Amino acid sequence: MGSGRLYLAVAAGGFRRYATYRAATAAGVFTNTVFGVILVYTYLALWDEKPHLGGYDQAQAVTYVWLGQCLYATLAIQGGGAEKDLMDRIRTGEIAVDLYRPADLQLWWLAGDVGRALFQMLGRGVIPFAFGAIFFPMALPTDVTPWAAFAVTLLLATLVSFAIRYLAALSVFWLMDGMGVNQALMITGIFFSGMVLPLNAFPGVFGDIARVLPWAAQLQMPADVLMGETDPLRAYAFQAAWAVALLAAGRLVQSAATRRVVVQGG
């Protein structure tokens, strides 16, 4: 089997694996929709007090909320993607089996995570977003070009999201437990991705810093591209730079870990 077909098969396996959790998917759709409604009314109240907060009008703020609900599980913003399984395999020593496979470790886990992300978007993200578009006024483009640009930013956001979580998972080679790392991933992901509030609304120097961190590539950039608030080329450059830097860092850490660390049971 060629390398391309191998990783495509791994991605398909990731998709099928999550497709088996039908009850969990239905619960996720319901939860995302309910939280979306709560957030929309919270945002509308806030935007009544602070019109054009972060440069958004109310329709854009509503759109941002439903995009967040759509991408929350897709990009594993709170964690819970491939990194969770990778941490467990490092902790138990099963990672030794992975290291013996005739496949690149990082690409293997990336392919599986892409399959997971695709299912989560189709199975858990599209319905809440469609619900929001039907029942709330949203600022959605009618031209195909912004949607195509948005699709590119989603692909790059998936790479950045995986790269952050892969780096975090590799730390378990030294820590031997991923509980604390998962907690850190959850807090940083929720806050710095803009799930709580658009990063454009963060004030001063703190806002400037938040907007250049890699988490901004996950939700803020795709949202701004879809709503025409930023140049797509600028968004691509920002996301691609972080994807390359973080994936390269993952390569270095992976090399150090597999060369010098003794796995449990190995």
Side-chain angles (χ1 to χ4, degrees), residues 65-116:
V65 168
W66 290 112
L67 271 178
Q69 296 307 302
C70 176
L71 300 182
Y72 177 71
T74 301
L75 300 177
I77 288 175
Q78 191 180 341
E83 84 287 351
K84 184 178 178 183
D85 293 334
L86 179 55
M87 287 177 182
D88 285 342
R89 293 185 72 81
I90 295 172
R91 181 180 58 80
T92 60
E94 292 174 322
I95 189 67
V97 176
D98 299 346
L99 294 173
Y100 272 107
R101 288 197 185 105
D104 182 88
L105 186 68
Q106 190 183 42
L107 286 177
W108 177 281
W109 286 97
L110 172 59
D113 200 57
V114 168
R116 177 207 58 79

mmCIF file of all heavy atoms in Angstrom, residues 65-116:
data_model
loop_
_atom_site.group_PDB
_atom_site.id
_atom_site.type_symbol
_atom_site.label_atom_id
_atom_site.label_comp_id
_atom_site.label_asym_id
_atom_site.label_seq_id
_atom_site.Cartn_x
_atom_site.Cartn_y
_atom_site.Cartn_z
ATOM 1 N N VAL A 65 -20.883 33.145 16.929
ATOM 2 C CA VAL A 65 -21.316 32.149 17.914
ATOM 3 C C VAL A 65 -21.563 30.797 17.255
ATOM 4 O O VAL A 65 -21.070 29.759 17.717
ATOM 5 C CB VAL A 65 -22.600 32.625 18.626
ATOM 6 C CG1 VAL A 65 -23.224 31.471 19.424
ATOM 7 C CG2 VAL A 65 -22.294 33.787 19.542
ATOM 8 N N TRP A 66 -22.323 30.781 16.167
ATOM 9 C CA TRP A 66 -22.675 29.504 15.545
ATOM 10 C C TRP A 66 -21.486 28.867 14.843
ATOM 11 O O TRP A 66 -21.399 27.639 14.747
ATOM 12 C CB TRP A 66 -23.857 29.692 14.590
ATOM 13 C CG TRP A 66 -25.112 29.972 15.344
ATOM 14 C CD1 TRP A 66 -25.825 31.137 15.378
ATOM 15 C CD2 TRP A 66 -25.804 29.074 16.231
ATOM 16 N NE1 TRP A 66 -26.912 31.029 16.220
ATOM 17 C CE2 TRP A 66 -26.922 29.766 16.758
ATOM 18 C CE3 TRP A 66 -25.588 27.758 16.634
ATOM 19 C CZ2 TRP A 66 -27.801 29.185 17.656
ATOM 20 C CZ3 TRP A 66 -26.464 27.172 17.534
ATOM 21 C CH2 TRP A 66 -27.565 27.882 18.030
ATOM 22 N N LEU A 67 -20.553 29.675 14.362
ATOM 23 C CA LEU A 67 -19.313 29.102 13.834
ATOM 24 C C LEU A 67 -18.541 28.409 14.952
ATOM 25 O O LEU A 67 -17.973 27.327 14.762
ATOM 26 C CB LEU A 67 -18.442 30.194 13.214
ATOM 27 C CG LEU A 67 -18.673 30.511 11.747
ATOM 28 C CD1 LEU A 67 -17.752 31.647 11.311
ATOM 29 C CD2 LEU A 67 -18.426 29.277 10.885
ATOM 30 N N GLY A 68 -18.524 29.056 16.117
ATOM 31 C CA GLY A 68 -17.848 28.448 17.254
ATOM 32 C C GLY A 68 -18.467 27.112 17.630
ATOM 33 O O GLY A 68 -17.750 26.139 17.910
ATOM 34 N N GLN A 69 -19.790 27.032 17.620
ATOM 35 C CA GLN A 69 -20.454 25.773 17.939
ATOM 36 C C GLN A 69 -20.184 24.717 16.879
ATOM 37 O O GLN A 69 -20.111 23.526 17.172
ATOM 38 C CB GLN A 69 -21.961 26.007 18.080
ATOM 39 C CG GLN A 69 -22.332 26.910 19.237
ATOM 40 C CD GLN A 69 -21.726 26.440 20.550
ATOM 41 O OE1 GLN A 69 -21.957 25.329 20.993
ATOM 42 N NE2 GLN A 69 -20.914 27.297 21.173
ATOM 43 N N CYS A 70 -20.034 25.153 15.627
ATOM 44 C CA CYS A 70 -19.746 24.226 14.529
ATOM 45 C C CYS A 70 -18.317 23.678 14.624
ATOM 46 O O CYS A 70 -18.081 22.499 14.370
ATOM 47 C CB CYS A 70 -19.953 24.934 13.186
ATOM 48 S SG CYS A 70 -19.526 23.931 11.751
ATOM 49 N N LEU A 71 -17.377 24.538 15.020
ATOM 50 C CA LEU A 71 -15.972 24.156 14.997
ATOM 51 C C LEU A 71 -15.454 23.649 16.332
ATOM 52 O O LEU A 71 -14.320 23.179 16.430
ATOM 53 C CB LEU A 71 -15.117 25.352 14.541
ATOM 54 C CG LEU A 71 -15.443 25.903 13.155
ATOM 55 C CD1 LEU A 71 -14.509 27.050 12.812
ATOM 56 C CD2 LEU A 71 -15.334 24.798 12.112
ATOM 57 N N TYR A 72 -16.273 23.740 17.356
ATOM 58 C CA TYR A 72 -15.834 23.375 18.710
ATOM 59 C C TYR A 72 -15.304 21.935 18.768
ATOM 60 O O TYR A 72 -14.187 21.686 19.222
ATOM 61 C CB TYR A 72 -17.014 23.557 19.666
ATOM 62 C CG TYR A 72 -16.739 23.158 21.085
ATOM 63 C CD1 TYR A 72 -15.889 23.926 21.887
ATOM 64 C CD2 TYR A 72 -17.321 22.015 21.634
ATOM 65 C CE1 TYR A 72 -15.633 23.566 23.189
ATOM 66 C CE2 TYR A 72 -17.079 21.653 22.948
ATOM 67 C CZ TYR A 72 -16.238 22.430 23.720
ATOM 68 O OH TYR A 72 -15.990 22.067 25.013
ATOM 69 N N ALA A 73 -16.096 20.988 18.310
ATOM 70 C CA ALA A 73 -15.647 19.583 18.304
ATOM 71 C C ALA A 73 -14.792 19.285 17.082
ATOM 72 O O ALA A 73 -13.887 18.449 17.143
ATOM 73 C CB ALA A 73 -16.856 18.648 18.325
ATOM 74 N N THR A 74 -15.071 19.964 15.978
ATOM 75 C CA THR A 74 -14.304 19.719 14.750
ATOM 76 C C THR A 74 -12.816 19.930 14.991
ATOM 77 O O THR A 74 -11.989 19.102 14.598
ATOM 78 C CB THR A 74 -14.787 20.667 13.639
ATOM 79 O OG1 THR A 74 -16.182 20.454 13.413
ATOM 80 C CG2 THR A 74 -14.019 20.425 12.357
ATOM 81 N N LEU A 75 -12.489 21.032 15.642
ATOM 82 C CA LEU A 75 -11.089 21.362 15.878
ATOM 83 C C LEU A 75 -10.619 20.916 17.256
ATOM 84 O O LEU A 75 -9.490 21.237 17.647
ATOM 85 C CB LEU A 75 -10.876 22.877 15.713
ATOM 86 C CG LEU A 75 -11.223 23.430 14.327
ATOM 87 C CD1 LEU A 75 -11.045 24.944 14.296
ATOM 88 C CD2 LEU A 75 -10.363 22.772 13.254
ATOM 89 N N ALA A 76 -11.484 20.185 17.982
ATOM 90 C CA ALA A 76 -11.127 19.729 19.338
ATOM 91 C C ALA A 76 -10.535 20.885 20.132
ATOM 92 O O ALA A 76 -9.459 20.763 20.730
ATOM 93 C CB ALA A 76 -10.170 18.549 19.269
ATOM 94 N N ILE A 77 -11.246 22.014 20.129
ATOM 95 C CA ILE A 77 -10.734 23.224 20.763
ATOM 96 C C ILE A 77 -10.488 23.005 22.251
ATOM 97 O O ILE A 77 -9.555 23.553 22.830
ATOM 98 C CB ILE A 77 -11.712 24.395 20.517
ATOM 99 C CG1 ILE A 77 -11.620 24.834 19.047
ATOM 100 C CG2 ILE A 77 -11.427 25.574 21.447
ATOM 101 C CD1 ILE A 77 -12.614 25.884 18.636
ATOM 102 N N GLN A 78 -11.316 22.190 22.867
ATOM 103 C CA GLN A 78 -11.148 21.887 24.289
ATOM 104 C C GLN A 78 -10.294 20.633 24.495
ATOM 105 O O GLN A 78 -10.085 20.194 25.616
ATOM 106 C CB GLN A 78 -12.529 21.685 24.930
ATOM 107 C CG GLN A 78 -12.503 21.615 26.439
ATOM 108 C CD GLN A 78 -13.884 21.414 27.017
ATOM 109 O OE1 GLN A 78 -14.872 21.662 26.364
ATOM 110 N NE2 GLN A 78 -13.958 20.972 28.258
ATOM 111 N N GLY A 79 -9.781 20.050 23.433
ATOM 112 C CA GLY A 79 -9.077 18.778 23.523
ATOM 113 C C GLY A 79 -10.038 17.637 23.227
ATOM 114 O O GLY A 79 -11.191 17.836 22.856
ATOM 115 N N GLY A 80 -9.553 16.418 23.391
ATOM 116 C CA GLY A 80 -10.408 15.258 23.165
ATOM 117 C C GLY A 80 -10.275 14.660 21.781
ATOM 118 O O GLY A 80 -11.090 13.829 21.395
ATOM 119 N N GLY A 81 -9.246 15.054 21.047
ATOM 120 C CA GLY A 81 -9.007 14.486 19.725
ATOM 121 C C GLY A 81 -7.949 13.396 19.794
ATOM 122 O O GLY A 81 -7.876 12.626 20.764
ATOM 123 N N ALA A 82 -7.107 13.349 18.776
ATOM 124 C CA ALA A 82 -6.096 12.298 18.685
ATOM 125 C C ALA A 82 -5.126 12.330 19.854
ATOM 126 O O ALA A 82 -4.582 11.290 20.244
ATOM 127 C CB ALA A 82 -5.328 12.456 17.370
ATOM 128 N N GLU A 83 -4.911 13.523 20.412
ATOM 129 C CA GLU A 83 -3.913 13.626 21.485
ATOM 130 C C GLU A 83 -4.299 12.802 22.705
ATOM 131 O O GLU A 83 -3.426 12.325 23.443
ATOM 132 C CB GLU A 83 -3.702 15.098 21.862
ATOM 133 C CG GLU A 83 -4.683 15.697 22.852
ATOM 134 C CD GLU A 83 -6.056 15.946 22.235
ATOM 135 O OE1 GLU A 83 -6.189 15.804 21.014
ATOM 136 O OE2 GLU A 83 -6.969 16.296 22.998
ATOM 137 N N LYS A 84 -5.600 12.623 22.927
ATOM 138 C CA LYS A 84 -6.038 11.858 24.094
ATOM 139 C C LYS A 84 -5.596 10.397 23.978
ATOM 140 O O LYS A 84 -5.058 9.821 24.923
ATOM 141 C CB LYS A 84 -7.560 11.936 24.214
ATOM 142 C CG LYS A 84 -8.105 11.267 25.442
ATOM 143 C CD LYS A 84 -9.617 11.430 25.510
ATOM 144 C CE LYS A 84 -10.179 10.701 26.745
ATOM 145 N NZ LYS A 84 -11.654 10.799 26.784
ATOM 146 N N ASP A 85 -5.796 9.811 22.793
ATOM 147 C CA ASP A 85 -5.367 8.434 22.576
ATOM 148 C C ASP A 85 -3.847 8.319 22.604
ATOM 149 O O ASP A 85 -3.292 7.353 23.142
ATOM 150 C CB ASP A 85 -5.894 7.923 21.231
ATOM 151 C CG ASP A 85 -7.405 7.787 21.221
ATOM 152 O OD1 ASP A 85 -7.984 7.609 22.307
ATOM 153 O OD2 ASP A 85 -8.002 7.878 20.133
ATOM 154 N N LEU A 86 -3.173 9.300 22.017
ATOM 155 C CA LEU A 86 -1.711 9.267 21.986
ATOM 156 C C LEU A 86 -1.136 9.330 23.400
ATOM 157 O O LEU A 86 -0.190 8.606 23.738
ATOM 158 C CB LEU A 86 -1.187 10.436 21.137
ATOM 159 C CG LEU A 86 0.329 10.563 21.019
ATOM 160 C CD1 LEU A 86 0.952 9.267 20.505
ATOM 161 C CD2 LEU A 86 0.686 11.725 20.096
ATOM 162 N N MET A 87 -1.716 10.177 24.242
ATOM 163 C CA MET A 87 -1.253 10.254 25.633
ATOM 164 C C MET A 87 -1.415 8.912 26.343
ATOM 165 O O MET A 87 -0.515 8.471 27.075
ATOM 166 C CB MET A 87 -2.045 11.335 26.385
ATOM 167 C CG MET A 87 -1.691 12.757 26.028
ATOM 168 S SD MET A 87 -2.759 13.927 26.913
ATOM 169 C CE MET A 87 -2.175 15.484 26.255
ATOM 170 N N ASP A 88 -2.551 8.271 26.119
ATOM 171 C CA ASP A 88 -2.793 6.981 26.766
ATOM 172 C C ASP A 88 -1.802 5.935 26.292
ATOM 173 O O ASP A 88 -1.310 5.114 27.085
ATOM 174 C CB ASP A 88 -4.228 6.512 26.468
ATOM 175 C CG ASP A 88 -5.263 7.268 27.277
ATOM 176 O OD1 ASP A 88 -4.886 7.885 28.291
ATOM 177 O OD2 ASP A 88 -6.445 7.249 26.892
ATOM 178 N N ARG A 89 -1.489 5.956 24.992
ATOM 179 C CA ARG A 89 -0.563 4.953 24.460
ATOM 180 C C ARG A 89 0.861 5.206 24.956
ATOM 181 O O ARG A 89 1.621 4.260 25.161
ATOM 182 C CB ARG A 89 -0.609 4.952 22.925
ATOM 183 C CG ARG A 89 -1.949 4.457 22.379
ATOM 184 C CD ARG A 89 -1.951 4.349 20.858
ATOM 185 N NE ARG A 89 -1.142 3.238 20.377
ATOM 186 C CZ ARG A 89 -1.559 1.973 20.341
ATOM 187 N NH1 ARG A 89 -2.759 1.654 20.780
ATOM 188 N NH2 ARG A 89 -0.762 1.015 19.875
ATOM 189 N N ILE A 90 1.221 6.464 25.151
ATOM 190 C CA ILE A 90 2.543 6.751 25.724
ATOM 191 C C ILE A 90 2.586 6.306 27.186
ATOM 192 O O ILE A 90 3.542 5.679 27.641
ATOM 193 C CB ILE A 90 2.858 8.257 25.609
ATOM 194 C CG1 ILE A 90 2.966 8.667 24.142
ATOM 195 C CG2 ILE A 90 4.154 8.577 26.339
ATOM 196 C CD1 ILE A 90 3.085 10.171 23.925
ATOM 197 N N ARG A 91 1.511 6.605 27.917
ATOM 198 C CA ARG A 91 1.466 6.268 29.347
ATOM 199 C C ARG A 91 1.527 4.765 29.584
ATOM 200 O O ARG A 91 2.196 4.297 30.491
ATOM 201 C CB ARG A 91 0.188 6.844 29.962
ATOM 202 C CG ARG A 91 0.032 6.580 31.460
ATOM 203 C CD ARG A 91 -1.260 7.196 31.982
ATOM 204 N NE ARG A 91 -2.431 6.677 31.282
ATOM 205 C CZ ARG A 91 -2.998 5.493 31.546
ATOM 206 N NH1 ARG A 91 -2.500 4.723 32.500
ATOM 207 N NH2 ARG A 91 -4.059 5.084 30.872
ATOM 208 N N THR A 92 0.840 4.002 28.728
ATOM 209 C CA THR A 92 0.794 2.549 28.931
ATOM 210 C C THR A 92 1.947 1.815 28.253
ATOM 211 O O THR A 92 2.128 0.615 28.473
ATOM 212 C CB THR A 92 -0.522 1.982 28.364
ATOM 213 O OG1 THR A 92 -0.593 2.264 26.958
ATOM 214 C CG2 THR A 92 -1.718 2.600 29.071
ATOM 215 N N GLY A 93 2.715 2.510 27.443
ATOM 216 C CA GLY A 93 3.806 1.862 26.729
ATOM 217 C C GLY A 93 3.412 1.313 25.371
ATOM 218 O O GLY A 93 4.260 0.795 24.638
ATOM 219 N N GLU A 94 2.113 1.384 25.025
ATOM 220 C CA GLU A 94 1.667 0.865 23.732
ATOM 221 C C GLU A 94 2.232 1.658 22.568
ATOM 222 O O GLU A 94 2.172 1.213 21.417
ATOM 223 C CB GLU A 94 0.141 0.870 23.677
ATOM 224 C CG GLU A 94 -0.509 -0.125 24.621
ATOM 225 C CD GLU A 94 -2.020 0.004 24.651
ATOM 226 O OE1 GLU A 94 -2.522 1.145 24.600
ATOM 227 O OE2 GLU A 94 -2.693 -1.030 24.732
ATOM 228 N N ILE A 95 2.789 2.833 22.867
ATOM 229 C CA ILE A 95 3.387 3.644 21.805
ATOM 230 C C ILE A 95 4.543 2.894 21.140
ATOM 231 O O ILE A 95 4.897 3.163 19.980
ATOM 232 C CB ILE A 95 3.896 4.987 22.382
ATOM 233 C CG1 ILE A 95 4.309 5.941 21.268
ATOM 234 C CG2 ILE A 95 5.046 4.768 23.360
ATOM 235 C CD1 ILE A 95 3.174 6.409 20.419
ATOM 236 N N ALA A 96 5.131 1.920 21.858
ATOM 237 C CA ALA A 96 6.226 1.138 21.281
ATOM 238 C C ALA A 96 5.772 0.413 20.019
ATOM 239 O O ALA A 96 6.534 0.263 19.058
ATOM 240 C CB ALA A 96 6.744 0.132 22.311
ATOM 241 N N VAL A 97 4.505 -0.038 20.019
ATOM 242 C CA VAL A 97 3.954 -0.694 18.825
ATOM 243 C C VAL A 97 3.879 0.301 17.676
ATOM 244 O O VAL A 97 4.210 -0.015 16.523
ATOM 245 C CB VAL A 97 2.562 -1.280 19.126
ATOM 246 C CG1 VAL A 97 1.937 -1.875 17.864
ATOM 247 C CG2 VAL A 97 2.637 -2.309 20.240
ATOM 248 N N ASP A 98 3.438 1.526 17.975
ATOM 249 C CA ASP A 98 3.324 2.563 16.940
ATOM 250 C C ASP A 98 4.681 2.872 16.326
ATOM 251 O O ASP A 98 4.793 3.114 15.123
ATOM 252 C CB ASP A 98 2.726 3.845 17.534
ATOM 253 C CG ASP A 98 1.328 3.615 18.095
ATOM 254 O OD1 ASP A 98 0.740 2.564 17.793
ATOM 255 O OD2 ASP A 98 0.840 4.487 18.819
ATOM 256 N N LEU A 99 5.712 2.878 17.180
ATOM 257 C CA LEU A 99 7.047 3.235 16.696
ATOM 258 C C LEU A 99 7.627 2.163 15.765
ATOM 259 O O LEU A 99 8.519 2.449 14.974
ATOM 260 C CB LEU A 99 7.986 3.469 17.882
ATOM 261 C CG LEU A 99 7.642 4.676 18.749
ATOM 262 C CD1 LEU A 99 8.522 4.723 19.990
ATOM 263 C CD2 LEU A 99 7.785 5.972 17.951
ATOM 264 N N TYR A 100 7.117 0.955 15.872
ATOM 265 C CA TYR A 100 7.603 -0.118 15.001
ATOM 266 C C TYR A 100 6.859 -0.170 13.677
ATOM 267 O O TYR A 100 7.246 -0.918 12.776
ATOM 268 C CB TYR A 100 7.478 -1.466 15.715
ATOM 269 C CG TYR A 100 8.698 -1.810 16.544
ATOM 270 C CD1 TYR A 100 8.644 -1.747 17.930
ATOM 271 C CD2 TYR A 100 9.895 -2.179 15.929
ATOM 272 C CE1 TYR A 100 9.757 -2.050 18.697
ATOM 273 C CE2 TYR A 100 11.009 -2.480 16.685
ATOM 274 C CZ TYR A 100 10.940 -2.419 18.064
ATOM 275 O OH TYR A 100 12.045 -2.711 18.815
ATOM 276 N N ARG A 101 5.773 0.591 13.551
ATOM 277 C CA ARG A 101 5.033 0.569 12.279
ATOM 278 C C ARG A 101 5.877 1.194 11.159
ATOM 279 O O ARG A 101 6.599 2.167 11.393
ATOM 280 C CB ARG A 101 3.729 1.366 12.407
ATOM 281 C CG ARG A 101 2.663 0.706 13.256
ATOM 282 C CD ARG A 101 1.322 1.369 12.972
ATOM 283 N NE ARG A 101 0.283 0.847 13.852
ATOM 284 C CZ ARG A 101 -0.222 1.501 14.885
ATOM 285 N NH1 ARG A 101 0.216 2.707 15.174
ATOM 286 N NH2 ARG A 101 -1.156 0.963 15.626
ATOM 287 N N PRO A 102 5.758 0.685 9.946
ATOM 288 C CA PRO A 102 6.489 1.300 8.822
ATOM 289 C C PRO A 102 5.774 2.550 8.319
ATOM 290 O O PRO A 102 5.412 2.654 7.145
ATOM 291 C CB PRO A 102 6.494 0.178 7.770
ATOM 292 C CG PRO A 102 5.223 -0.559 8.040
ATOM 293 C CD PRO A 102 5.023 -0.532 9.534
ATOM 294 N N ALA A 103 5.523 3.461 9.235
ATOM 295 C CA ALA A 103 4.800 4.694 8.888
ATOM 296 C C ALA A 103 5.326 5.819 9.761
ATOM 297 O O ALA A 103 5.864 5.579 10.855
ATOM 298 C CB ALA A 103 3.296 4.513 9.095
ATOM 299 N N ASP A 104 5.181 7.029 9.265
ATOM 300 C CA ASP A 104 5.609 8.199 10.029
ATOM 301 C C ASP A 104 4.637 8.425 11.178
ATOM 302 O O ASP A 104 3.421 8.510 10.967
ATOM 303 C CB ASP A 104 5.634 9.422 9.110
ATOM 304 C CG ASP A 104 6.129 10.651 9.843
ATOM 305 O OD1 ASP A 104 7.346 10.865 9.856
ATOM 306 O OD2 ASP A 104 5.284 11.373 10.419
ATOM 307 N N LEU A 105 5.165 8.541 12.399
ATOM 308 C CA LEU A 105 4.305 8.639 13.596
ATOM 309 C C LEU A 105 3.407 9.880 13.550
ATOM 310 O O LEU A 105 2.196 9.812 13.814
ATOM 311 C CB LEU A 105 5.173 8.675 14.851
ATOM 312 C CG LEU A 105 4.421 8.622 16.179
ATOM 313 C CD1 LEU A 105 3.772 7.267 16.390
ATOM 314 C CD2 LEU A 105 5.359 8.948 17.348
ATOM 315 N N GLN A 106 4.001 11.023 13.187
ATOM 316 C CA GLN A 106 3.231 12.279 13.189
ATOM 317 C C GLN A 106 2.149 12.261 12.115
ATOM 318 O O GLN A 106 1.006 12.657 12.361
ATOM 319 C CB GLN A 106 4.172 13.460 12.977
ATOM 320 C CG GLN A 106 3.514 14.823 13.198
ATOM 321 C CD GLN A 106 4.477 15.954 12.914
ATOM 322 O OE1 GLN A 106 5.232 15.924 11.930
ATOM 323 N NE2 GLN A 106 4.491 16.947 13.785
ATOM 324 N N LEU A 107 2.495 11.781 10.922
ATOM 325 C CA LEU A 107 1.504 11.735 9.843
ATOM 326 C C LEU A 107 0.398 10.737 10.154
ATOM 327 O O LEU A 107 -0.766 10.950 9.799
ATOM 328 C CB LEU A 107 2.193 11.376 8.516
ATOM 329 C CG LEU A 107 3.022 12.473 7.861
ATOM 330 C CD1 LEU A 107 3.685 11.943 6.598
ATOM 331 C CD2 LEU A 107 2.147 13.680 7.530
ATOM 332 N N TRP A 108 0.760 9.640 10.822
ATOM 333 C CA TRP A 108 -0.235 8.631 11.201
ATOM 334 C C TRP A 108 -1.313 9.259 12.096
ATOM 335 O O TRP A 108 -2.506 9.124 11.851
ATOM 336 C CB TRP A 108 0.468 7.483 11.921
ATOM 337 C CG TRP A 108 -0.449 6.411 12.437
ATOM 338 C CD1 TRP A 108 -1.215 6.456 13.580
ATOM 339 C CD2 TRP A 108 -0.727 5.146 11.842
ATOM 340 N NE1 TRP A 108 -1.940 5.304 13.737
ATOM 341 C CE2 TRP A 108 -1.658 4.471 12.689
ATOM 342 C CE3 TRP A 108 -0.270 4.498 10.694
ATOM 343 C CZ2 TRP A 108 -2.128 3.196 12.409
ATOM 344 C CZ3 TRP A 108 -0.749 3.221 10.427
ATOM 345 C CH2 TRP A 108 -1.662 2.593 11.263
ATOM 346 N N TRP A 109 -0.865 9.968 13.138
ATOM 347 C CA TRP A 109 -1.820 10.572 14.074
ATOM 348 C C TRP A 109 -2.548 11.750 13.432
ATOM 349 O O TRP A 109 -3.707 12.017 13.739
ATOM 350 C CB TRP A 109 -1.097 10.990 15.348
ATOM 351 C CG TRP A 109 -0.755 9.802 16.195
ATOM 352 C CD1 TRP A 109 0.430 9.135 16.239
ATOM 353 C CD2 TRP A 109 -1.637 9.098 17.073
ATOM 354 N NE1 TRP A 109 0.346 8.066 17.093
ATOM 355 C CE2 TRP A 109 -0.902 8.025 17.629
ATOM 356 C CE3 TRP A 109 -2.954 9.270 17.461
ATOM 357 C CZ2 TRP A 109 -1.466 7.128 18.545
ATOM 358 C CZ3 TRP A 109 -3.514 8.389 18.371
ATOM 359 C CH2 TRP A 109 -2.775 7.326 18.905
ATOM 360 N N LEU A 110 -1.855 12.484 12.550
ATOM 361 C CA LEU A 110 -2.513 13.586 11.848
ATOM 362 C C LEU A 110 -3.639 13.056 10.957
ATOM 363 O O LEU A 110 -4.747 13.609 10.942
ATOM 364 C CB LEU A 110 -1.497 14.357 10.998
ATOM 365 C CG LEU A 110 -2.082 15.425 10.047
ATOM 366 C CD1 LEU A 110 -2.854 16.483 10.834
ATOM 367 C CD2 LEU A 110 -0.982 16.065 9.212
ATOM 368 N N ALA A 111 -3.377 11.958 10.242
ATOM 369 C CA ALA A 111 -4.409 11.396 9.361
ATOM 370 C C ALA A 111 -5.630 10.964 10.165
ATOM 371 O O ALA A 111 -6.773 11.238 9.779
ATOM 372 C CB ALA A 111 -3.833 10.204 8.577
ATOM 373 N N GLY A 112 -5.392 10.278 11.289
ATOM 374 C CA GLY A 112 -6.510 9.860 12.134
ATOM 375 C C GLY A 112 -7.301 11.043 12.662
ATOM 376 O O GLY A 112 -8.540 11.004 12.741
ATOM 377 N N ASP A 113 -6.579 12.130 13.009
ATOM 378 C CA ASP A 113 -7.264 13.308 13.553
ATOM 379 C C ASP A 113 -8.051 14.051 12.476
ATOM 380 O O ASP A 113 -9.098 14.631 12.754
ATOM 381 C CB ASP A 113 -6.242 14.251 14.199
ATOM 382 C CG ASP A 113 -6.897 15.210 15.175
ATOM 383 O OD1 ASP A 113 -7.555 14.742 16.130
ATOM 384 O OD2 ASP A 113 -6.774 16.433 14.967
ATOM 385 N N VAL A 114 -7.549 14.036 11.239
ATOM 386 C CA VAL A 114 -8.291 14.662 10.134
ATOM 387 C C VAL A 114 -9.610 13.913 9.899
ATOM 388 O O VAL A 114 -10.660 14.533 9.678
ATOM 389 C CB VAL A 114 -7.434 14.682 8.853
ATOM 390 C CG1 VAL A 114 -8.282 15.056 7.634
ATOM 391 C CG2 VAL A 114 -6.290 15.670 9.002
ATOM 392 N N GLY A 115 -9.552 12.565 9.953
ATOM 393 C CA GLY A 115 -10.788 11.782 9.814
ATOM 394 C C GLY A 115 -11.777 12.102 10.920
ATOM 395 O O GLY A 115 -12.978 12.250 10.677
ATOM 396 N N ARG A 116 -11.274 12.216 12.152
ATOM 397 C CA ARG A 116 -12.137 12.589 13.283
ATOM 398 C C ARG A 116 -12.750 13.962 13.071
ATOM 399 O O ARG A 116 -13.963 14.166 13.289
ATOM 400 C CB ARG A 116 -11.308 12.582 14.581
ATOM 401 C CG ARG A 116 -12.082 13.015 15.823
ATOM 402 C CD ARG A 116 -11.153 13.607 16.874
ATOM 403 N NE ARG A 116 -10.418 14.754 16.369
ATOM 404 C CZ ARG A 116 -10.927 15.966 16.252
ATOM 405 N NH1 ARG A 116 -12.179 16.196 16.616
ATOM 406 N NH2 ARG A 116 -10.195 16.963 15.768
#
